[in-house]
Amino acid sequence: MIKAILIFNNHGKPRLSKFYQPYSEDTQQQIIRETFHLVSKRDENVCNFLEGGLLIGGSDNKLIYRHYATLYFVFCVDSSESELGILDLIQVFVETLDKCFENVCELDLIFHVDKVHNILAEMVMGGMVLETNMNEIVTQIDAQNKLEKSEHIVYTGLFCISQDLSQAGLAGAPARAVSAVKNMNLPEIPRNINIGDISIKVPNLPSFK
Amino acid sequence: MALKMVKGSIDRMFDKNLQDLVRGIRNHKEDEAKYISQCIDEIKQELKQDNIAVKANAVCKLTYLQMLGYDISWAAFNIIEVMSASKFTFKRVGYLAASQCFHEGTDVIMLTTNQIRKDLSSPSQYDTGVALTGLSCFVTPDLARDLANDIMTLMSHTKPYIRKKAVLIMYKVFLKYPESLRPAFPRLKEKLEDPDPGVQSAAVNVICELARRNPKNYLSLAPLFFKLMTSSTNNWVLIKIIKLFGALTPLEPRLGKKLIEPLTNLIHSTSAMSLLYECVNTVIAVLISLSSGMPNHSASIQLCVQKLRILIEDSDQNLKYLGLLAMSKILKTHPKSVQSHKDLILQCLDDKDESIRLRALDLLYGMVSKKNLMEIVKKLMTHVDKAEGTTYRDELLTKIIDICSQSNYQHITNFEWYISILVELTRLEGTRHGHLIAAQMLDVAIRVKAIRKFAVSQMSALLDSAHLVASSTQRNGICEVLYAAAWICGEFSEHLQEPQQTLEAMLRPKVTTLPGHIQAVYVQNVVKLYASILQQKEQAADTEAAQEVTQLLVERLPQFVQSADLEVQERASCILQLVKHVQKLQAKGVPVAEEVSALFAGELNPVAPKAQKKVPVPEGLDLDAWINEPPSDSESEDEKPKAIFHEEDPRHTRRRQPEEDEEELARRREARKQEQANNPFYIKSSPSPQKRYQDTPGVEHIPVVQIDLSVPLKVPGMPMSDQYVKLEEQRRHRQRMEKDKKRKKKEKGKRRHSSLPTESDEDIAPAQRVDIVTEEMPENALPSDEDDKDPNDPYRALDIDLDKPLADSEKLPVQKHRNAEAVKSPEKESVPTVEKKSKKPKKKEKKPKEREREKKKDKKGEDLDFWLSTTPPPAAVPVPAPSTEELAKDEGEGLRREELEDEEDNMDHDQERKSSRHKKKKHRKEKEERPRDKKKAKRKQAAPLENGAAEEEPIPPMSSYCLLAENSYIKVTYDIQASLQKDSQVTVSVILENQSNSFLKNMELNVLDSLNTKMARPEGSSVHDGVPVPFQLPPGVSNEAQFVFTIQSIVMAQKLKGTLSFIAKDDEGATHEKLDFRLHFSCSSYLITTPCYSDAFAKLLESGDLNMNSIKVDGISMSFQNLLAKICFHHHFSVVERVDSCASMYSRSIQGHHVCLLVKKGESSVSVDGKCSDATLLSSLLEEMKTTLAQC
């Protein structure tokens, strides 16, 4: 089970928080702060697992995180999840964001946290992994967006965001990683070509600018 | 109306949307809180409007503020309003807000039930999806109960998008409403085989989560998961399943055996590190659960360790970390295989990543042995010096102590070395673990008697050194060791070289800066020291010196009397008075030493930490019994506190004895003395303090042996412990030399080969022959009480037997209309029926029912057993002979048993009819029975169905070993085993039996390699060299050796010529002997028994790319059952299906050829039709089978 998913920036400002267990707002903020302290202390070239799972229930838990330019993506999971699998999931998440926002940057996350939530909801549901195939996720998100547009053209002017803010584009993920993850769930490919190592070998996505 | 709408939209023009809010917050960095509270006021205004778009916008902003830590629960009702909007856009906003802030305590949540139900059944899949996603975050027991049925219907929705969400959310529903698990489980199981991979993955996910908490209920699903594991290509699913198997294997070791092979195959084939890692993890779990009776045991361990080494050597820190993590799991059960990678792990200690260093440290703990302890600790000590952060240094320190002290100091051969390590550790500044070092010093000094002298000398040096006292300002700092040092010097003062000097060191004014508890120990031990000095001086008749010491105490003790610490003050003033009294006596010339020493006579034995808890309650003592009459109920309320006090009282106070007469008292006193003498907890008084060690019973047997180094080493410029390392090396070398000499002497007479030169752990004798005093426990101690499970564990409620058939009452509540009845929970509904039923026949009825349930459980167990036993029966094990009579008898018994059951059932019915007027029940009963009947029928069929049953069924004794060659000296039989792991290798097991009176040695096996088949020889030897047999054979002994052959093509049988050469030695002399043989590799030996499901088998036959061939053998008298068993055994086939006298069989070659057979039995003939992907292989196989069948 995934216990919580947090995104915060290099200064510890929360950009997204999703708790799959109920906590009061104060506890949530405290968890975010402490997680930030744990994670931000670590060098770039050390491993991405942290065992200080005292924040959210018991010693069974682990923090698994990745650092992309200005943002930390942290998943708090228990022992039923595969560590490397979750690292891949974070990668899928980031690449999906990249696709949906067309070169994602931190500002996208700041101004459209609701959209990020919607994307996440297609990947993880109630703490369990729902879908890992990026194409499938993007298809569903697109379909929902289309539905939304058709529903009220009248309001779009008001609800659409001033695009002037969206800053310069964000590096696309390396082609190799993208294609690797794309294939993740297709049953026809033999099981020996697969996610695991590929995305690990890609160190970090080049950056949100 | 229209005006209102226009007005509404104009208002909205001035509303902030989410982006404006975010921008505003960013622009008000200084007064963020103020700005936000202003925004919240605006939001409150917006929420009051009728326009749903405005409300949705407000809720959207609230969701953002929630992330920043603002409580938005006050808007819960508005959120529900937005959730119920008809437009998807708004609905989504509402559900998102709800998922972020609703929880079980939200009171308005009960208003959502109908809205959610409506959304679940919405024609738009996205409405349903959004409702499911939201619900997964805030589902409550009430919602779960009310919506379970709706969600279950969605599990069979036409759209996979909905199906997978519905399946996933079921887990949350189960957690909140455990009663739904049994009714929903069959459908969930179905979803494991859903055509959509996403749905399948979700189902696997849910069942894995369920099974992780209560694995035993899901054992029966193992075959299904096994099938998924071998067929799925989705790594997510595979990882989940493999993890699940890791949780199941501890419960069923046979499952582990079955898993090893496919898992090792995966390990070999996959390139996905995540999958590889999980496979290795599960293999480790399997190996832990298995007893050591596995043939491929060591091979699998080696494979795991080897793969983990690759991970650890990887430059990726994540893999390195996980590799070490998994390695530590292997370490627990197979420390030997990890120890060989010591180099790698020590290397990780130098890693820049702290988590990796800590993992490596954990591993070191299990890797030490007597041989390498000193070396490893030395390495760690250098790390201690280098370490920068105090946390890591402290971690190192605790690990050093853990490593050395583990399992009762098992690995320490030289305790002097250990003491000096501890002393060296005291040089660390700023550590928090002073008390740890102190505890070790005390423990070692108390429990290792031979070391006391050395320890005392070291401790007195510590007391003398100034730096420790100087550090006293830090809490828990290193000065804690002074506590131990003072106590050791005091308690074992008879070993002190210069007690007077130590005494002075302990009375220095600086000591008063130490923490109170240490000062207290100082004061107490000063007196012990004083007592022993007095003793010495008086024996030497040096009264002047004795008086001087007394004077010193009288002068120095007052500084402690002034201490602010109460304990120190009290002890000091008490002792000061005592010393003053002694001084008076001394002035009169009275010898006092004896009496002063008597204060501290007796041995202090170490007591096990749990000893106190384990003292059994004496017979006749009831701790819960009232001592006084219980307070009457009528007591007024203000007296209550008193009553509570009384209640607690009996726990602490002993039952007061009534007064006894004098005689009785005397008798008791005697008995008590007797008891005390036998009780280790009483400090016994001994007549002469000098002899107290010898006098204490139970200690005599401990030899206090002289230490090698009577003078502590003091070589300048080198830490003490290093010198010990050197010394220890020399000592071991010497020991080895001596041993070798002895051995050589022996060998001169016998001329036996010397064993391997490596030094095993057991060879190292400890420097001091130390008897470690074990901690004491009370006699007849109670067995250790284990902690109970946490009663608040939410997962316990899901510990539900899923194999029982569903009862009628177990249905998910269906809600038609919200009327009063529907609100009732299902338990309430079912209550009346239960009550009626249980009126009279309850007791009688219960019995057969229970039995029934047990039977069913057994049956289910049998099913699983059956699946688990479809692995090939171990080849070499001969199976007991069958007899058709027995078979018949068995069946007969089975029938009789069933008849009995039926009778019971009938009785059951009778009783029911009598007791109940409801006919319904009878119906139900019958319904329940039907599946049972089916099962019975199945069981009857199942028995002869597959060769797995061969384990229970008697078949003729068969051995796959056949004669290779024989002469007067030796008999050689062999068997060829193939394994799926290596596609071009087979292992030939050769049993060599010495038939002569000679001693056979230097045996060597050699074969003439063909182009196709080659023997694997040790590296560096040529093709003409033989392979030595790794053992010798005394007369009459047999042993088995294994040789590996590599084969290129397996379609034809092979014969290899070979020779076994050996030296036969008897009383008259030795002769060199040879035995020629021909090694026959049949095609059958390349086959591996592989179970196959009938549908897969059918597909295989339909595929059309198999070649066909057939044979017919006449004159067969053997029963079909035994015939099949024989084919299975000798040719490594498994039965796929059997109908009457016709059976389909399957096997696979090591190179992946499929072989399918159809075996038909006529009157006295058998025909075998074969299909195989290789024609040559098939014809060779059928030829071999013909020979086998001809013997039947």
Side-chain angles (χ1 to χ4, degrees), chain B residues 552 773 918 1044 1189:
Chain B
L552 181 75
V773 185
H918 299 289
V1044 177
L1189 291 176

Side-chain angles (χ1 to χ4, degrees), chain A residues 189-200:
Chain A
I189 51 160
R191 73 165 68 106
N192 50 4
I193 316 169
N194 226 319
I195 42 166
D197 42 355
I198 300 176
S199 53
I200 292 157

Side-chain angles (χ1 to χ4, degrees), chain B residues 99 112 258 381 383 403 449 481 526 550 584 613 622 678 707 713 843 862 919 980 1038 1058 1064 1073 1190:
Chain B
S99 74
T112 57
K258 217 176 155 77
M381 289 299 280
H383 277 277
I403 285 173
K449 304 213 168 196
V481 295
V526 157
T550 316
K584 272 182 209 161
K613 221 165 86 187
D622 182 5
N678 295 329
I707 304 161
L713 286 165
K843 270 187 188 169
E862 269 170 30
K919 284 187 180 173
L980 259 186
S1038 68
E1073 297 288 341

Side-chain angles (χ1 to χ4, degrees), chain B residues 228-424:
Chain B
L228 273 179
M229 183 176 83
T230 43
S231 61
S232 174
T233 52
N234 182 335
N235 277 357
W236 284 97
V237 171
L238 279 174
I239 288 175
K240 280 280 170 194
I241 294 176
I242 287 166
K243 268 186 168 281
L244 171 68
F245 276 133
L248 291 183
T249 41
L251 302 171
E252 181 52 89
R254 285 176 299 172
L255 176 64
K257 278 188 190 170
K258 217 176 155 77
L259 282 172
I260 285 268
E261 198 175 289
L263 284 179
T264 39
N265 287 345
L266 267 179
I267 291 177
H268 280 294
S269 63
T270 185
S271 68
M273 281 301 180
S274 42
L275 185 58
L276 174 86
Y277 173 69
E278 295 306 337
C279 286
V280 170
N281 249 338
T282 300
V283 170
I284 294 169
V286 166
L287 292 174
I288 289 172
S289 71
L290 285 179
S291 48
S292 52
M294 266 294 282
N296 274 339
H297 201 65
S298 58
S300 312
I301 276 287
Q302 278 314 311
L303 178 69
C304 289
V305 174
Q306 174 204 334
K307 288 282 173 186
L308 288 179
R309 189 181 170 102
I310 294 173
L311 288 187
I312 296 173
E313 279 172 339
D314 200 288
S315 60
D316 188 321
Q317 298 286 328
N318 291 330
L319 297 185
K320 194 172 271 199
Y321 174 85
L322 293 176
L324 290 170
L325 195 67
M327 202 69 118
S328 62
K329 286 181 197 153
I330 299 188
L331 188 70
K332 279 175 205 141
T333 47
H334 301 84
K336 283 257 164 63
S337 24
V338 182
Q339 268 162 14
S340 53
H341 300 282
K342 201 181 76 196
D343 55 319
L344 189 63
I345 292 170
L346 285 176
Q347 208 177 307
C348 288
L349 278 182
D350 296 322
D351 201 284
K352 54 192 178 303
D353 190 348
E354 197 175 293
S355 345
I356 286 178
R357 287 200 304 256
L358 291 177
R359 284 270 143 241
L361 271 181
D362 276 352
L363 272 173
L364 274 185
Y365 176 79
M367 286 175 56
V368 288
S369 62
K370 280 184 182 160
K371 211 167 82 186
N372 61 19
L373 175 74
M374 286 185 161
E375 180 197 340
I376 287 181
V377 172
K378 188 180 166 191
K379 173 118 187 170
L380 289 179
M381 289 299 280
T382 59
H383 277 277
V384 171
D385 292 338
K386 277 192 289 181
E388 281 156 15
T390 46
T391 37
Y392 179 58
R393 206 175 54 180
D394 281 354
E395 188 65 27
L396 272 170
L397 193 153
T398 45
K399 269 283 138 42
I400 290 177
I401 287 176
D402 278 358
I403 285 173
C404 291
S405 62
Q406 68 173 306
S407 32
N408 225 355
Y409 306 102
Q410 170 193 344
H411 301 302
I412 295 185
T413 51
N414 187 335
F415 277 92
E416 285 188 22
W417 164 82
Y418 186 44
I419 292 275
S420 25
I421 286 284
L422 289 174
V423 171
E424 266 171 52

Side-chain angles (χ1 to χ4, degrees), chain B residues 450-462:
Chain B
I451 202 67
R452 284 180 186 164
K453 189 169 179 172
F454 179 78
V456 165
S457 71
Q458 292 290 307
M459 292 305 121
S460 63
L462 271 185

Side-chain angles (χ1 to χ4, degrees), chain B residues 178-223:
Chain B
E179 289 87 344
S180 62
L181 178 56
R182 278 171 46 75
F185 196 72
R187 192 169 290 183
L188 183 63
K189 215 165 121 185
E190 244 169 57
K191 293 298 145 198
L192 283 176
E193 291 172 298
D194 197 276
D196 184 82
V199 182
Q200 197 184 38
S201 158
V204 169
N205 217 332
V206 169
I207 292 186
C208 287
E209 280 295 336
L210 288 170
R212 207 166 67 91
R213 306 295 181 174
N214 302 296
K216 63 176 191 310
N217 298 336
Y218 299 86
L219 259 181
S220 57
L221 287 181

Side-chain angles (χ1 to χ4, degrees), chain A residues 1-3 13-23 25-26 28-29 32 42-43 45-51 60 62 66 78-89 92 107 109-114 117-118 121-122 124-132 136 139-141 143-145 147-149 151-152 155 158-162 164-165 184-197 200-201, chain B residues 12-13 17-19 22-23 26 29 32 51 53 57 60 63-64 66-72 86-90 92 96 99-103 124-127 130 132-133 136-137 161 164-166 168-169 171-172 175 197-198 201-202 205-206 209 212-213 229-236 238-240 243 266 269-275 277-278 314 316-319 321-322 325 352-356 359 795:
Chain A
M1 283 275 278
I2 300 170
K3 304 288 169 126
K13 281 245 186 288
R15 295 301 175 220
L16 175 125
S17 66
K18 183 89 207 169
F19 291 88
Y20 295 103
Q21 281 173 349
Y23 288 104
E25 272 74 16
D26 288 342
Q28 290 185 3
Q29 292 302 309
I32 295 173
R42 295 173 65 83
D43 285 344
N45 47 8
V46 301
C47 71
N48 299 52
F49 314 120
L50 258 176
E51 268 167 281
D60 196 28
K62 267 202 183 89
R66 268 176 184 267
D78 68 11
S79 62
S80 73
E81 300 294 337
S82 144
E83 291 90 345
L84 296 173
I86 293 294
L87 276 181
D88 290 342
L89 191 71
V92 173
L107 284 173
L109 271 75
I110 295 172
F111 287 104
H112 304 283
V113 66
D114 50 341
H117 268 299
N118 294 338
E122 294 301 321
V124 180
M125 187 173 136
M128 284 180 288
V129 179
L130 177 68
E131 184 59 69
T132 51
E136 173 71 18
T139 316
Q140 299 299 350
I141 289 290
Q144 289 176 40
N145 288 343
L147 177 66
E148 200 175 283
K149 259 184 202 162
E151 265 181 2
H152 39 139
Y155 301 137
L158 284 161
F159 277 82
C160 215
I161 336 79
S162 31
D164 54 327
L165 268 161
M184 185 121 61
N185 259 347
L186 301 182
E188 359 13 300
I189 51 160
R191 73 165 68 106
N192 50 4
I193 316 169
N194 226 319
I195 42 166
D197 42 355
I200 292 157
K201 291 276 159 62
Chain B
R12 264 199 338 271
M13 296 294 287
N17 63 17
L18 175 61
Q19 283 70 39
V22 174
R23 206 174 295 130
R26 285 162 70 84
K29 285 223 167 86
E32 195 184 286
N51 191 313
N57 185 35
C60 186
T63 315
Y64 181 80
Q66 194 272 340
M67 183 179 76
L68 299 183
Y70 289 87
D71 178 25
I72 60 163
S86 56
K87 290 210 163 80
F88 171 72
T89 323
F90 303 142
R92 187 156 75 165
L96 174 62
S99 74
Q100 291 295 87
C101 78
F102 281 13
H103 49 88
S124 155
Q125 62 165 330
Y126 292 113
D127 282 352
V130 120
L132 283 172
T133 308
S136 73
C137 290
Y161 178 77
K164 71 182 177 194
K165 287 195 169 194
L168 263 195
I169 204 178
Y171 178 63
K172 294 277 173 169
L175 273 184
S201 158
N205 217 332
V206 169
E209 280 295 336
R212 207 166 67 91
R213 306 295 181 174
M229 183 176 83
T230 43
S231 61
S232 174
T233 52
N234 182 335
N235 277 357
W236 284 97
L238 279 174
I239 288 175
K240 280 280 170 194
K243 268 186 168 281
L266 267 179
S269 63
T270 185
S271 68
M273 281 301 180
S274 42
L275 185 58
Y277 173 69
E278 295 306 337
D314 200 288
D316 188 321
Q317 298 286 328
N318 291 330
L319 297 185
Y321 174 85
L322 293 176
L325 195 67
K352 54 192 178 303
D353 190 348
E354 197 175 293
S355 345
I356 286 178
R359 284 270 143 241
Y795 306 103

